[in-house]
């Protein structure tokens, strides 16, 4: 059956062209020209993605693979540079291009006065190219190119204001921590090559299906899955490799929205979901995924309740929500994890962009203790951020309610312990998010009015504060409104049967998580042609009754409402109460506020010893004591020899005659000795 050509290669190529044009020529362009290039190519990629989505139902076979060019050939091993389209990659494609394009639009207003304007948009386009390569790659090797590329783009964007020491340090920290995870990913690829002689998704998954589940001990598939999980933990900021993401808030706010909310940090979740065939045959590895995700969700949520920097609250919220996604994957609910990935892209992208609008309004201030009463002055920002807050808190019928409820329900079916920690985390999430809303928008303005219009974001000349506290321009507000709409209605594609829906999202992804071989596209079947059994969904309806599911739904909603009530009580009705509670629980509060001193612990255990080893052992001992000493000693010896020999060149004729006589005597003596030996 012949596959139509969708020209998938054009989708990542378009933002790459935008990055190259602005990167090479943008310094000579006007800001309007830079915007035209950046938005033109990223918008064209989004339009191409929409066109591909419109053609998806007409594809005769799934997955749809398009080979761009042959790539590696070595013996029996081969990898093509090809792109891979199925239901999972289509969802990721639309999220990356759609949310990414909105963030590009928002960035026009946010970064307009920045001297590195063209450079910023070049980096944004470059990031989109690598992220699209990651989600469209047909093999682990193509995915790995995108994987490493988004790490590079993240480094460039986090450290965009490279003259700030904290921004440069944050960029290096993200790069180094991700290398730890990437090392695990790379070793996993070597294992796949050793056992399957391939990195192609279809070949690997088909070969893996021939293995029985490794229920005893650690076999090849378990080792591979654990190494893949290490890579995912680095990219998606899971315990113990989460420490880079909060520091990444040093980058411009649109970077936080694009990389650390909507796209890059979800790459690990996507990779685990894509590798479900391997993980399903390594149940102990799946248990590790579930435990790490559950612990990360709870741990990060506890830290979020005491942060005062508006972006740091959202950063730890991101870590926590990623933990939910890993919890879902760990209990085998891959489609629920991807569902939350999608809705999270909507409401967390909106939260970061709205936070940027707040920062823009108050002249670059990020400390919520110096805000307050802003809802009157920036009503659009307040309204859209409120929608996103209700979504992440799981308030029905917003998007986050459906995806989070699906995860909690599936977690309960696996273990009540996962469910209990998830519900407590939902309570904490609601509390710290409404705490953010009350501290930022309620009461009276607590900041310095002069500071509010005298300073700008990180003192980089963005013009954030001109004219006092003010609403953002339309170019920043329009993306907020669109994301607010998606945050409100985006969950209706996954309404469960217990609430009268059919969970169309789960049904759509079902073929991906039940089959890794080409199957007839259900939407392209001929009349009377039955779909293969592999196309049954991941778990369209749980076996438990709807009444039980509704009960657990009510509990999770109650946890969210309880968090809302507590935040209202502490930060609206009795705003002096939090300080009194903090004083009475000084040790515990200090531990949470200082993020349990994890960064300091890592610095003491890993960073400082490595610095000592590199500076004392390698630099002073090996570099200076051996390498430099050898080279310097050789040079000094050559200098002394040449200094002694130069005295032979005195310019005195009798001295030269004497040296000739000595040399001649030596030559004659050598010849006599050789002749005598020959006799």
């Amino acid at each position: 059956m012949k596959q139509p050509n969708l020209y998938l290669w054009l989708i990542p190529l378009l933002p790459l062209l935008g990055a190259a044009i602005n990167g090479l020529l943008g310094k000579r362009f006007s800001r309007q020209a830079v915007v035209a290039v950046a938005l033109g190519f990223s918008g064209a990629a989004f339009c191409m993605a929409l066109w591909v989505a419109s053609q998806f139902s007409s594809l005769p076979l799934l997955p749809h693979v398009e080979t761009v060019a042959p790539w590696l050939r070595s013996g029996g091993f081969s990898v093509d540079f090809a792109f891979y389209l199925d239901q999972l990659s289509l969802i990721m494609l639309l999220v990356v291009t759609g949310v990414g394009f909105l963030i590009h639009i928002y960035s026009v207003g946010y970064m307009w006065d920045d001297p590195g304007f063209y450079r910023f948009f070049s980096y944004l386009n470059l990031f989109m190219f690598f992220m699209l390569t990651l989600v469209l790659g047909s093999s682990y090797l193509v995915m790995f190119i995108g994987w490493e590329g988004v790490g590079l783009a993240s480094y460039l964007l986090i450290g965009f204001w490279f003259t700030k020491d904290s921004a440069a340090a944050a960029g290096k920290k993200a790069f180094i921590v991700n290398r730890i995870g990437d090392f695990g990913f790379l070793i996993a690829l070597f294992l796949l090559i050793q056992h399957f002689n391939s990195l192609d998704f279809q070949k690997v998954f088909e070969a893996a299906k021939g293995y029985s589940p490794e229920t005893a001990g650690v076999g090849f598939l378990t080792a591979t899955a654990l190494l893949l999980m290490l890579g995912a933990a680095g990219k998606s900021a899971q315990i113990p490799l989460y420490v880079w993401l909060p520091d990444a808030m040093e980058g411009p706010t649109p970077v936080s929205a694009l990389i650390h909310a909507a796209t890059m940090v979800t790459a690990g979740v996507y990779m685990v979901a894509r590798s479900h065939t391997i993980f399903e045959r390594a149940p102990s590895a799946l248990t590790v995924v579930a435990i790490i995700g559950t612990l990360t969700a709870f741990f990060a949520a506890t830290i979020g309740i005491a942060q005062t920097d508006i972006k740091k609250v959202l950063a730890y919220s991101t870590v926590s929500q990623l933990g939910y996604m890993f919890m879902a994957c760990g209990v085998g609910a891959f489609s629920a994890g991807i569902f939350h990935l999608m809705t999270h892209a909507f409401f967390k992208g909106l939260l970061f962009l709205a936070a940027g609008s707040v920062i823009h309004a108050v002249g670059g201030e990020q400390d919520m203790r110096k805000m307050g009463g802003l809802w009157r002055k920036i009503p659009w920002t307040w309204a859209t951020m409120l929608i996103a807050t209700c979504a992440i808190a799981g308030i029905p019928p917003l998007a986050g309610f459906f995806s989070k409820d699906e995860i909690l329900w599936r977690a309960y079916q696996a273990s009540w312990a996962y469910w209990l920690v998830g519900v407590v985390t939902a309570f904490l999430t609601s509390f710290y998010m409404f705490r953010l809303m009350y501290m930022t928008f309620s009461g009276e303005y607590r900041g310095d009015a002069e500071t509010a219009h005298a300073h700008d974001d990180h003192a980089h000349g963005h013009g954030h504060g001109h004219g006092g506290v003010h609403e953002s321009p339309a170019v920043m507000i329009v993306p907020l409104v669109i994301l607010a709409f998606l945050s409100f209605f985006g969950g209706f594609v996954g309404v469960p049967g217990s609430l009268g829906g059919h969970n169309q999202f789960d049904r759509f992804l079902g073929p991906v998580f039940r089959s890794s071989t080409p199957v007839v596209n259900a939407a392209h079947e001929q009349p009377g042609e039955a779909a293969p059994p592999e196309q049954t969904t991941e778990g369209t309806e749980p076996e438990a009754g709807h009444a039980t599911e509704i009960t657990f739904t009510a509990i999770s909603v109650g946890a969210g409402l309880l968090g809302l009530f507590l935040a209202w009580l502490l930060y609206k009705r009795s705003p002096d109460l939090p300080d009194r509670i903090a004083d009475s629980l000084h040790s515990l509060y200090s531990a949470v506020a200082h993020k349990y001193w994890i960064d300091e612990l890592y610095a003491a255990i890993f960073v400082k010893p490595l610095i000592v080893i590199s500076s004392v052992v390698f630099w002073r001992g090996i570099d200076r004591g051996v390498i430099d000493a050898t080279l310097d000693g050789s040079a000094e010896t050559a200098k002394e020899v040449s200094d002694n020999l130069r005295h032979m060149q005195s310019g005195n004729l009798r001295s030269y005659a004497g040296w000739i006589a000595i040399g001649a005597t030596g030559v004659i003596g050598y010849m006599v000795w050789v002749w005598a030996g020959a006799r």
Side-chain angles (χ1 to χ4, degrees), residues 441-453:
F441 295 102
S442 297
E444 299 298 325
Y445 183 64
R446 299 180 295 275
D448 184 348
E450 294 183 1
T451 301
H453 60 75

Side-chain angles (χ1 to χ4, degrees), residues 242 587-588 590-592 594-603:
Y242 73 93
S587 298
L588 178 60
S590 180
V592 174
H594 289 89
K595 299 161 282 188
Y596 302 106
W597 295 285
I598 297 296
D599 285 304
E600 290 81 359
L601 181 64
Y602 281 11

Side-chain angles (χ1 to χ4, degrees), residues 219-495:
F220 148 65
L221 290 178
T222 301
T224 303
L226 290 174
L227 288 166
L228 289 175
M229 176 56 197
L230 178 60
K235 196 68 73 183
S236 293
Q238 298 295 287
I239 290 175
L241 301 179
Y242 73 93
V243 291
W244 67 269
L245 192 142
D247 287 10
M249 298 302 108
E250 289 290 341
T253 300
V255 174
S256 304
L258 178 64
I259 295 180
H260 310 116
T263 53
M264 187 189 106
V265 292
T266 61
V269 180
Y270 168 75
M271 187 258 279
V272 171
R274 173 61 73 199
S275 308
H276 69 94
T277 305
I278 296 174
F279 278 91
E280 286 171 342
R281 285 154 182 80
S284 57
L286 268 184
T287 301
V288 171
V289 173
I291 292 174
I292 288 179
T294 304
L295 292 177
T296 301
F298 175 76
F299 179 78
T302 63
I303 296 177
I305 64 177
Q307 300 304 303
T308 55
D309 184 312
I310 188 170
K311 288 175 68 175
K312 284 290 179 69
V313 175
L314 297 179
Y316 282 103
S317 172
T318 297
V319 176
S320 181
Q321 297 303 305
L322 289 167
Y324 265 114
M325 300 175 206
F326 275 93
M327 181 201 297
C329 292
V331 299
F334 296 101
S335 66
I338 298 300
F339 187 22
H340 198 58
L341 182 155
M342 182 187 74
T343 61
H344 179 264
F346 299 153
F347 59 70
K348 186 53 66 64
L350 173 55
L351 284 169
F352 270 113
L353 295 186
S357 183
V358 171
I359 295 169
H360 175 96
V362 297
E365 182 60 65
Q366 294 184 197
D367 191 335
M368 297 184 297
R369 294 170 296 185
K370 298 179 181 179
M371 299 179 187
L374 296 179
W375 74 273
R376 299 182 186 87
K377 298 183 178 181
I378 48 174
W380 283 98
T381 300
W382 167 76
T384 54
M385 199 169 192
L386 179 61
I387 291 174
T389 299
C390 291
I392 194 174
I395 306 299
L398 282 79
F401 158 72
F402 293 107
S403 59
K404 186 178 292 187
D405 183 64
E406 179 72 11
I407 291 175
L408 291 176
W409 174 238
R410 296 299 299 273
Y412 172 75
Q413 292 180 308
S415 168
W416 65 267
Y418 297 147
W419 172 83
L420 181 60
V421 176
V423 168
V424 173
T425 302
F427 159 73
L428 294 174
T429 302
S430 179
F431 171 73
Y432 66 65
M433 285 308 306
F434 281 105
R435 168 182 177 266
L436 180 151
M437 291 297 294
Y438 285 124
M439 290 182 70
T440 304
F441 295 102
S442 297
E444 299 298 325
Y445 183 64
R446 299 180 295 275
D448 184 348
E450 294 183 1
T451 301
H453 60 75
H455 293 288
D456 48 9
D457 194 40
H458 297 295
H460 279 271
H462 306 151
H464 286 331
H466 55 83
V469 178
H470 61 289
E471 184 62 275
S472 299
V475 72
M476 293 170 64
I477 292 299
V478 169
L480 299 186
V481 173
I482 295 174
L483 287 172
F485 178 85
L486 293 172
S487 298
F488 197 102
F489 295 103
F492 285 105
V493 296
V495 179

Side-chain angles (χ1 to χ4, degrees), residues 499-524:
L499 298 178
H502 300 286
N503 204 340
Q504 296 298 331
F505 192 89
D506 183 78
R507 291 176 181 272
F508 180 72
L509 280 178
V512 175
F513 298 121
R514 284 299 182 191
S515 175
S516 55
T517 55
V519 296
V520 176
N521 190 350
H524 196 265

Side-chain angles (χ1 to χ4, degrees), residues 23 34 43 90 102 116-117 148 159 168 184 203 211 227 293 295 297 315 325 355 376 472 504 552 567 602 678:
V34 170
L90 178 64
L102 291 176
F117 190 75
E148 291 298 294
K203 293 179 181 178
Y211 282 69
L227 288 166
L295 292 177
M325 300 175 206
R376 299 182 186 87
S472 299
Q504 296 298 331
F552 281 91
Y602 281 11

Side-chain angles (χ1 to χ4, degrees), residues 133-218:
T133 301
L134 190 157
V135 301
L136 285 175
S138 68
S139 67
Y140 281 107
L141 191 57
V142 179
M143 175 191 278
F144 191 72
I145 291 175
W147 189 273
E148 291 298 294
V150 294
L152 169 64
S154 174
Y155 167 77
L156 295 172
L157 286 166
I158 294 168
F160 179 75
W161 291 319
F162 54 85
T163 55
K164 279 187 62 185
D165 290 340
S166 58
K172 288 187 290 185
K173 185 175 183 179
F175 192 82
I176 292 169
V177 173
N178 272 274
R179 296 292 74 72
I180 298 171
D182 295 352
F183 177 75
F185 191 2
L186 196 58
I187 299 300
L189 300 193
F190 293 154
L191 287 175
L192 291 174
I193 294 173
Q194 179 187 14
H195 286 80
F196 297 148
N197 198 33
S198 178
L199 292 176
D200 181 83
F201 288 150
Q202 290 181 275
K203 293 179 181 178
V204 168
F205 299 153
E206 185 62 26
K209 289 173 68 176
Y211 282 69
S212 300
E214 297 176 347
T215 55
V218 177

